[in-house]
Amino acid sequence: MKKRLLCSLLSLLPFALFATEKSEPKAKTIPVMVVQISSDSVSVSQDFPGRVSAFRTAEVRARVTGIVEKRVFDEGSKVVAGQVLFQIENRSLLATVRAGKADVANANAAYNLSRLTLARYKKLLDIGAVSRQEYDANRAQNQQSKAQVQQAKANLEIAQINLDYSTVTAPIDGRIDRALVTEGALVTKDSTQLATIEQIGKVYIDFSKPSASGPQTSNENSDTAIEILFSDGTIYPHKAQLEFSSMSVDQATGAISLRAVVDNPNFSLLPGMFVRVKVPTAGSNQLKIPQKAVIIGAKGAVVFLVKDKKLASTPIKLGAMNGASWFVKSGLKAGDRVVVSDTTILSTIPGASFIGMTAAEMQAAGMAKKSQ
């Protein structure tokens, strides 16, 4: 009986030894993928409210007093310089031109008669038939007649200009707004505005910045590329260029006026529209890490480092996002090696120790594929 019991115990010994080996596994060293972080340039910008204004604006005004006979353009259409826009009643102006022409003819006739008379008096003066005083009087009269011709011609020219002004034309190329008068309206010389023409193929963005925000930096010059955003946050596809920056501070607001110009081929920006202006003001170097290395939880953002062959979480403060990376404000320094492997799985391996290796180091060791 005792011999049979001893044989049974000896047969179970290998299984007991195997169970003991499994309960106390040997510690493993696992390579994990890391990246060595470095600094990268990040631009700093300021946002300001801006307002769109036309590149050029012309007010179409009446240059003569009269009744508007007709409007010869489509409201909201494109017009070119010299295109006829309005016709003002011009019958009285035509009559003034005809009267001016008659005055010129009368003045020329009087001048010719005076010139011939002066020539005769010159001959009589040479033979002593008239006195010097009579000759001088006729010569003065001749000069007056000549001046009256010039005056009559000037009056005719003014009358012709007024007649031309009765046909109102576009002073510049651009898009014309609605008509401000209708047919039959009485318009007054130099005071009645008829319409407005604006050029908006390019537009100005007017904005101001507080003088307390600091002096103009080297980035604020005519080569500065300025980003325009619509009120809903949509980015305008074209970059604006700074046109000028005022050299004085507005005493009422304490702000400096600035103006940028931007292409507007599709007329997406309209005069009077409010936009946001993003102006780059400075540049700096900040640390940048891949997004997949960052774990964001209720207590903030953390990353993992390999310290003493263990995974150690390190809280960080994130900055702006840049593509597939984050800029880091604090918590790390250049040269730190941040884990980008899946730490959720790695942290569940009991008794494991870790060694951080970059992709290049893994490739050199022939284990890049295995670690992934």
Side-chain angles (χ1 to χ4, degrees):
M1 184 70 179
K2 291 182 178 179
K3 186 176 180 179
R4 185 181 300 175
L5 181 60
L6 180 61
C7 290
S8 298
L9 291 174
L10 290 174
S11 65
L12 292 174
L13 183 60
F15 294 99
L17 293 174
F18 178 73
T20 303
E21 288 179 358
K22 288 195 68 177
S23 63
E24 296 179 3
K26 187 177 180 179
K28 302 176 182 179
T29 300
I30 302 174
V32 294
M33 182 81 75
V34 298
V35 293
Q36 185 167 324
I37 63 174
S38 60
S39 61
D40 198 359
S41 177
V42 56
S43 61
V44 179
S45 60
Q46 290 181 292
D47 284 6
F48 304 101
R51 194 168 192 172
V52 180
S53 60
F55 188 70
R56 292 178 69 192
T57 302
E59 294 181 349
V60 181
R61 293 187 177 273
R63 304 294 298 274
V64 292
T65 299
I67 302 295
V68 176
E69 287 188 335
K70 57 182 177 179
R71 169 175 61 85
V72 287
F73 69 91
D74 295 326
E75 295 177 318
S77 64
K78 293 181 68 176
V79 297
V80 297
Q83 179 178 333
V84 177
L85 304 178
F86 295 92
Q87 181 61 56
I88 299 174
E89 185 274 322
N90 60 7
R91 288 188 295 273
S92 61
L93 298 174
L94 283 169
T96 303
V97 169
R98 290 194 295 269
K101 291 179 179 179
D103 289 341
V104 171
N106 286 333
N108 278 325
Y111 171 65
N112 288 332
L113 177 60
S114 176
R115 182 168 52 81
L116 294 174
T117 301
L118 182 62
R120 288 195 296 268
Y121 266 79
K122 181 65 171 62
K123 292 179 181 179
L124 293 174
L125 179 63
D126 291 341
I127 63 175
V130 295
S131 66
R132 185 71 187 186
Q133 182 178 0
E134 289 176 309
Y135 172 78
D136 290 342
N138 277 276
R139 187 174 64 177
Q141 185 178 1
N142 174 259
Q143 292 174 345
Q144 289 177 347
S145 298
K146 185 177 180 180
Q148 287 171 355
V149 170
Q150 298 300 320
Q151 183 176 357
K153 288 182 178 180
N155 291 337
L156 175 60
E157 186 176 356
I158 292 173
Q160 186 63 55
I161 290 173
N162 288 332
L163 177 61
D164 294 340
Y165 283 158
S166 66
T167 302
V168 182
T169 59
I172 62 172
D173 298 343
R175 188 173 294 274
I176 191 166
D177 208 343
R178 64 186 180 88
L180 301 178
V181 296
T182 59
E183 293 82 354
L186 174 64
V187 295
T188 306
K189 175 181 178 181
D190 296 332
S191 62
T192 304
Q193 184 176 348
L194 308 179
T196 301
I197 300 174
E198 294 177 321
Q199 290 183 353
I200 57 174
K202 286 184 177 181
V203 293
Y204 288 122
I205 309 295
D206 295 313
F207 60 102
S208 60
K209 72 169 188 177
S211 59
S213 64
Q216 177 174 304
T217 68
S218 59
N219 283 351
E220 290 181 28
N221 52 52
S222 59
D223 296 327
T224 300
I226 296 174
E227 194 170 58
I228 307 298
L229 294 86
F230 293 101
S231 56
D232 62 354
T234 304
I235 299 175
Y236 183 66
H238 300 280
K239 298 289 187 179
Q241 296 295 320
L242 188 65
E243 184 82 358
F244 81 91
S245 175
S246 176
M247 300 304 294
S248 61
V249 177
D250 189 309
Q251 295 183 359
T253 62
I256 300 172
S257 298
L258 298 98
R259 165 172 280 186
V261 62
V262 63
D263 290 330
N264 189 32
N266 299 321
F267 305 142
S268 303
L269 298 173
L270 299 176
M273 181 183 291
F274 284 99
V275 293
R276 298 292 301 176
V277 181
K278 187 181 290 292
V279 182
T281 57
S284 64
N285 289 327
Q286 292 188 18
L287 299 179
K288 190 165 72 171
I289 60 174
Q291 288 186 28
K292 63 181 180 180
V294 181
I295 300 173
I296 301 177
K299 295 184 178 180
V302 298
V303 296
F304 280 87
L305 306 178
V306 178
K307 293 183 178 180
D308 299 327
K309 296 186 178 183
K310 300 294 182 181
L311 296 179
S313 64
T314 302
I316 61 172
K317 186 175 182 181
L318 296 176
M321 186 180 293
N322 185 293
S325 302
W326 284 103
F327 284 109
V328 179
K329 291 184 177 180
S330 62
L332 295 172
K333 63 182 182 297
D336 283 344
R337 295 159 68 93
V338 178
V339 177
V340 292
S341 297
D342 189 350
T343 56
T344 304
I345 297 176
L346 295 174
S347 60
T348 61
I349 302 175
S353 60
F354 302 95
I355 179 172
M357 301 179 71
T358 64
E361 291 169 348
M362 285 187 172
Q363 187 174 10
M367 60 177 68
K369 289 185 178 179
K370 184 178 180 180
S371 66
Q372 293 173 358

